[in-house]
Amino acid sequence: MAEVRLTQEGVTKYEDQLEYLKTTRRMEIAEQIKIARSFGDLSENAEYDAAKNEQAKNEYDIVQIENMLRNAVIIDEDALDTETVNVGSTVKLYNPAADIEMKYQIVGSAEADPMQGRISNESPVGGAILGHRVGEDVDVQTPGGTVSMRILEIAK
C-alpha cells in the first residue's frame, strides 16, 4: 500500500474507528451469529449468512485501516508554510465566473470530505492549487470544463 497522508485529527479518527471495529462491532456481530445459529439449519439460514458476511466485511475494514495507519505520513500542520499551498493548508479561493468565495482544507485522499470543506490533494481543485501563492490565478480542469480561481488566503 502506498503512503497515506493524514492530519493528526485523521489519525485519531481512524484509530478510534479501528478500536470500535475490533471491540464493540466484533462483539455485536458475534452476538448476531450466536442468535442466527439458534435458528437451526445453517445451510438455509439467511440470518446466519448475513451475519457471516458482516463479520467478513468488518475484518476487511480492520485490515484496511491497520494498513492505512501503518503507511500513514502525518502532516505536521505546525510546520506548514503559509506562502504556498501544501497538503494541510486551509485555502480561501475566489471563483470570479460564479462570484463566490470558497474555503477548503487540502488533505490526503483518505480524509477528503467536500461537504465538510476538506478536499483531496488529488482532486482537480486540490491538485491544481498545490504550490501556488496568494494572489495567483489558477486554471482548474474540472469535468465541466476549465474554471479559473484566485487564491485569496493561505492559512495553517
Side-chain angles (χ1 to χ4, degrees):
M1 181 178 227
E3 79 176 26
V4 178
R5 300 178 95 176
L6 294 171
T7 61
Q8 186 57 52
E9 178 184 339
V11 170
T12 302
K13 180 185 112 186
Y14 281 112
E15 287 173 341
D16 291 348
Q17 184 179 2
L18 183 61
E19 182 65 23
Y20 167 77
L21 294 175
K22 284 183 162 184
T23 57
T24 305
R25 190 67 187 129
R26 272 183 177 162
M27 288 174 52
E28 291 170 352
I29 294 169
E31 185 63 26
Q32 289 172 356
I33 291 171
K34 180 179 167 186
I35 291 169
R37 278 189 175 153
S38 71
F39 294 152
D41 185 9
L42 298 182
S43 66
E44 295 180 18
N45 188 328
E47 289 86 359
Y48 179 78
D49 290 341
K52 291 299 280 182
N53 287 338
E54 188 63 29
Q55 182 181 45
K57 181 189 177 310
N58 190 63
E59 295 306 314
Y60 175 81
D61 290 346
I62 288 170
V63 169
Q64 289 296 105
I65 293 171
E66 285 176 338
N67 285 336
M68 184 186 329
L69 290 172
R70 192 175 6 264
N71 293 300
V73 174
I74 299 174
I75 299 163
D76 184 0
E77 295 181 56
D78 294 331
L80 286 177
D81 164 21
T82 56
E83 295 295 314
T84 59
V85 178
N86 295 293
V87 177
S89 297
T90 299
V91 183
K92 187 185 287 186
L93 302 170
Y94 175 66
N95 178 338
D99 192 32
I100 57 171
E101 286 185 7
M102 301 156 282
K103 190 173 189 177
Y104 296 114
Q105 181 180 21
I106 311 301
V107 295
S109 60
E111 286 186 87
D113 185 354
M115 300 307 287
Q116 298 297 318
R118 297 166 68 90
I119 61 172
S120 167
N121 61 317
E122 299 171 13
S123 70
V125 174
I129 64 174
L130 283 177
H132 288 277
R133 299 175 179 275
V134 172
E136 288 186 25
D137 289 327
V138 180
D139 289 333
V140 179
Q141 298 298 323
T142 68
T146 303
V147 177
S148 183
M149 296 192 179
R150 179 171 293 128
I151 300 172
L152 300 178
E153 182 181 305
I154 302 170
K156 292 183 180 186

